Amino acid sequence: MKKSKNQAEFVQWFGPLLDALRELGYSGKPKEVSERIAQNLELDEGFLDETLKSGGNRFHNQVAWARQYLIWEGLLDSSTRGTWKLTEKGKKTILTPEESKEIFLKWVEINQKIRKDKSKKEIIENQEEETPESAEVSAENNLLSVLKSLSPSGFENVCKELLREHGFEKVEVTGKSHDGGIDGFGVLELNPFVSFKVIFQCKRYEGAVSRAQVGDFRNAMIGRAEKGIILTTGSFSREAEKEASRDGAPPIELVDGKKLVEMFEKVELGLKPKVVYDVDFSYFSKFRE
């Protein structure tokens, strides 16, 4: 199958990759998965020997990209290093070429929203020559960019998960009603004897939340909760910060983009820690003599 202008060649391996892992007992090493796909589809030896500009094997790189898209779609588990493994959803999923194309286009669009410096065409072309690992590093997976690319309801729900991870209980999103600017509520227990109700508001912003918006949120909060939180991917104006801590008014916690990232990092929500090695030049210096 040759790629179209809007589709990468590796899309054709989505279904065969799932099939291969099922045959291998739901998991397998990268090379054995690629070999099983090649065997099942009786792929030409000449095609299997093709290389990338970097010198890597083109077919295996295509299968690795297929895996990456299936991870994003929740069909493969990425938690075990060096082993490709189906999720429960993946075990039951049989993909048609059309369904594979839909998954591909969905995630290309999501990646394009995150990497605003790249067009969809450039993203597809880069993926054909890069490995998933190198592309991930070059994109830097900026968390704020990812959060800004979510739908409004998606951002509210990921904030709900974040608050749960930070010890909040009974956290719920209010849905589309947005009663007085309230996006959700929860309970924070300080100790077995003291707990209080909290309401929160989620704003996917590029700019600054204003003083008036903080004031409006507080008005909606009064009589309904002891504490309010505004979480934003942007920032807060100085006047908004003053309004949040104004004397005689219920305090409101402000979580800007920087603090939001720190909260995700602290509980490793949606983030995978990565070990980075630096060369110890002092160790190798003795071998230069």
Side-chain angles (χ1 to χ4, degrees), residues 195-263:
S195 64
F196 50 83
K197 187 174 181 180
V198 178
I199 63 172
F200 60 90
Q201 186 179 69
C202 310
K203 291 186 175 295
R204 291 180 312 138
Y205 268 32
E206 292 281 354
V209 177
S210 69
R211 172 195 169 281
Q213 289 169 315
V214 173
D216 289 343
F217 178 64
R218 176 185 280 116
N219 290 337
M221 180 189 83
I222 293 174
R224 302 186 186 187
E226 292 82 14
K227 191 83 171 175
I229 305 173
I230 301 178
L231 306 101
T232 180
T233 52
S235 59
F236 294 93
S237 69
R238 292 187 65 182
E239 291 301 313
E241 292 175 350
K242 291 177 183 177
E243 176 63 26
S245 57
R246 178 165 55 87
D247 289 343
I252 295 175
E253 292 294 327
L254 303 181
V255 179
D256 62 10
K258 185 175 184 297
K259 188 172 181 180
L260 191 64
V261 169
E262 290 173 355
M263 290 177 69

Side-chain angles (χ1 to χ4, degrees), residues 60-261:
H60 181 67
N61 190 60
Q62 288 182 357
V63 176
W65 269 111
R67 168 186 177 262
Q68 184 61 60
Y69 274 76
L70 296 177
I71 287 173
W72 289 334
E73 189 64 17
L75 301 176
L76 264 69
D77 180 2
S78 64
S79 62
T80 305
R81 186 176 178 83
T83 300
W84 295 3
K85 182 180 179 182
L86 290 175
T87 62
E88 290 303 314
K89 179 181 175 183
K91 291 176 184 179
K92 298 178 284 188
T93 300
I94 308 292
L95 290 178
T96 65
E98 188 57 38
E99 289 168 336
S100 297
K101 181 180 178 182
E102 288 174 4
I103 290 172
F104 169 74
L105 293 176
K106 167 187 170 182
W107 286 102
V108 166
E109 183 174 356
I110 290 172
N111 276 281
Q112 197 275 325
K113 287 180 179 178
I114 295 169
R115 300 183 65 180
K116 294 179 180 178
D117 61 319
K118 297 285 187 182
S119 68
K120 292 180 184 178
K121 183 173 181 290
E122 288 173 317
I123 288 173
I124 294 170
E125 290 174 348
N126 288 345
Q127 290 177 350
E128 298 244 286
E129 286 297 328
E130 296 176 339
T131 65
E133 293 77 16
S134 65
E136 182 179 350
V137 171
S138 65
E140 294 183 353
N141 280 342
N142 186 280
L143 178 58
L144 281 180
S145 295
V146 173
L147 293 173
K148 290 173 186 176
S149 75
L150 301 178
S151 66
S153 62
F155 183 56
E156 291 166 6
N157 279 294
V158 80
C159 286
K160 175 182 75 173
E161 295 296 321
L162 180 66
L163 292 174
R164 281 179 174 168
E165 290 294 324
H166 278 275
F168 287 74
E169 299 178 351
K170 301 178 182 177
V171 186
E172 297 292 341
V173 169
T174 56
K176 296 182 180 179
S177 62
H178 296 291
D179 184 15
I182 298 171
D183 291 324
F185 59 87
V187 174
L188 181 61
E189 183 178 298
L190 297 182
N191 57 54
F193 305 102
V194 180
S195 64
F196 50 83
K197 187 174 181 180
V198 178
I199 63 172
F200 60 90
Q201 186 179 69
C202 310
K203 291 186 175 295
R204 291 180 312 138
Y205 268 32
E206 292 281 354
V209 177
S210 69
R211 172 195 169 281
Q213 289 169 315
V214 173
D216 289 343
F217 178 64
R218 176 185 280 116
N219 290 337
M221 180 189 83
I222 293 174
R224 302 186 186 187
E226 292 82 14
K227 191 83 171 175
I229 305 173
I230 301 178
L231 306 101
T232 180
T233 52
S235 59
F236 294 93
S237 69
R238 292 187 65 182
E239 291 301 313
E241 292 175 350
K242 291 177 183 177
E243 176 63 26
S245 57
R246 178 165 55 87
D247 289 343
I252 295 175
E253 292 294 327
L254 303 181
V255 179
D256 62 10
K258 185 175 184 297
K259 188 172 181 180
L260 191 64
V261 169

